[in-house]
Amino acid sequence: MTPHNEAKPGDYAETVLLPGDPLRAKWIAENFFDDARQVNGVRNCLGFTGTWKGKPVSVQATGMGQPSTAIYVHELLDVYKVKNLIRVGTCGGLNPKVKVRDVVIAMTASTDSAMNQSFAPFSYAPFADYELLRRAVDLATTRGFRWHVASVSSSDTFYAPGGIGDYKKLVAHGVVAVEMEAAIIYTLAKRFDARALTICTMSDCLVSGEEIDASERQSSLKDMVELALDTGLDI
Ligand code: HPA
């Protein structure tokens, strides 16, 4: 038990999916897991454990942004000894080559967050686990998804005052999307010798203004969750 998590040791599987939204965690447990049971309800930041294709798996909401995510991820790694973390979320597109609905698999995550500056100096470059990344790419290819292994920006600001202009120099150096959590998940996973990957659906393009609609959001979410669950299967 922790101040933010009422689960007991052993309540989480070794592989945990990490959506931001608690209701998305519930939706994943209800629609994909067999034998799902709630393991955390503190602050309504829901966590569930069940099975996928007969193997134990969990899902834990992180809330939005790196400080909130860091609390849940740190505790999953330190207290619950979780080994594989797969964030499933959405991202905003910064490059017209990345279209809405495309799957962005984040190889690295640059961040403006102060969290990483104190944890890891030298402009530390948070990076994904290669084995999870390779598996996700192989599965996405087999499934015919439009995917990009890419560098993302984990920003502390959703409403960037300068809009896409605030990301111009990152875009000039290959960053294709913005989200809010990947960097701290990667940093903490390395500290605890665990694996981590971020898989995002591109929900809105900051360049064109194009946005995913409600039915597309649901079907791309389903594809992404299945991709994430199969990526973490038997690792
Ligand atoms: N900014 C940050 N995170 C996001 C965005 C965005 O524009 N779109 C989806 N997730």
Side-chain angles (χ1 to χ4, degrees):
M1 296 234 307
T2 78
H4 319 97
N5 201 319
E6 64 197 337
K8 294 182 291 303
D11 273 350
Y12 284 93
E14 285 200 348
T15 297
V16 181
L17 263 53
L18 300 172
D21 178 358
L23 292 182
R24 191 155 294 161
K26 188 166 182 268
W27 179 80
I28 290 171
E30 285 173 351
N31 289 282
F32 297 89
F33 291 6
D34 288 321
D35 305 319
R37 65 189 173 94
Q38 188 176 319
V39 293
N40 187 35
V42 177
R43 289 176 180 245
N44 288 321
C45 215
L46 303 174
F48 299 85
T49 293
T51 60
W52 167 252
K53 299 185 177 172
K55 302 291 167 66
V57 68
S58 299
V59 59
Q60 172 60 50
T62 62
M64 288 177 280
Q66 298 188 69
S68 174
T69 300
I71 291 171
Y72 296 101
V73 168
H74 184 110
E75 293 175 353
L76 286 173
L77 294 165
D78 190 28
V79 178
Y80 298 103
K81 309 300 177 199
V82 164
K83 292 292 169 210
N84 308 295
L85 296 166
I86 307 178
R87 164 164 150 68
V88 283
T90 57
C91 60
L94 300 173
N95 182 321
K97 283 188 204 150
V98 184
K99 311 278 183 215
V100 290
R101 280 209 63 155
D102 286 4
V103 176
V104 174
I105 303 169
M107 184 155 61
T108 66
S110 303
T111 186
D112 59 356
S113 173
M115 298 200 77
N116 254 21
Q117 285 164 24
S118 54
F119 288 172
F122 283 86
S123 296
Y124 173 71
F127 62 106
D129 175 74
Y130 178 72
E131 179 61 18
L132 285 178
L133 181 89
R134 192 184 61 74
R135 284 168 168 242
V137 171
D138 287 351
L139 289 165
T141 305
T142 309
R143 288 167 197 195
F145 298 165
R146 267 183 58 97
W147 56 263
H148 309 263
V149 169
S151 188
V152 302
S153 165
S154 298
S155 175
D156 274 355
T157 309
F158 186 88
Y159 296 108
I164 192 162
D166 287 0
Y167 301 104
K168 210 169 155 191
K169 289 182 180 166
L170 288 173
V171 175
H173 293 88
V175 171
V176 304
V178 57
E179 53 83 73
M180 301 185 75
E181 291 85 14
I184 199 66
I185 299 173
Y186 290 176
T187 302
L188 289 172
K190 287 296 158 197
R191 194 194 301 165
F192 286 93
D193 196 22
R195 302 177 189 275
L197 184 67
T198 291
I199 304 174
C200 286
T201 301
M202 218 268 266
S203 59
D204 53 287
C205 180
L206 276 66
V207 187
S208 65
E210 199 187 353
E211 282 182 17
I212 209 163
D213 68 32
S215 73
E216 282 186 327
R217 186 181 284 270
Q218 204 57 24
S219 74
S220 53
L221 198 60
K222 179 177 175 292
D223 287 348
M224 178 174 60
V225 169
E226 284 172 352
L227 177 65
L229 287 166
D230 283 336
T231 295
L233 194 63
D234 288 330
I235 193 159

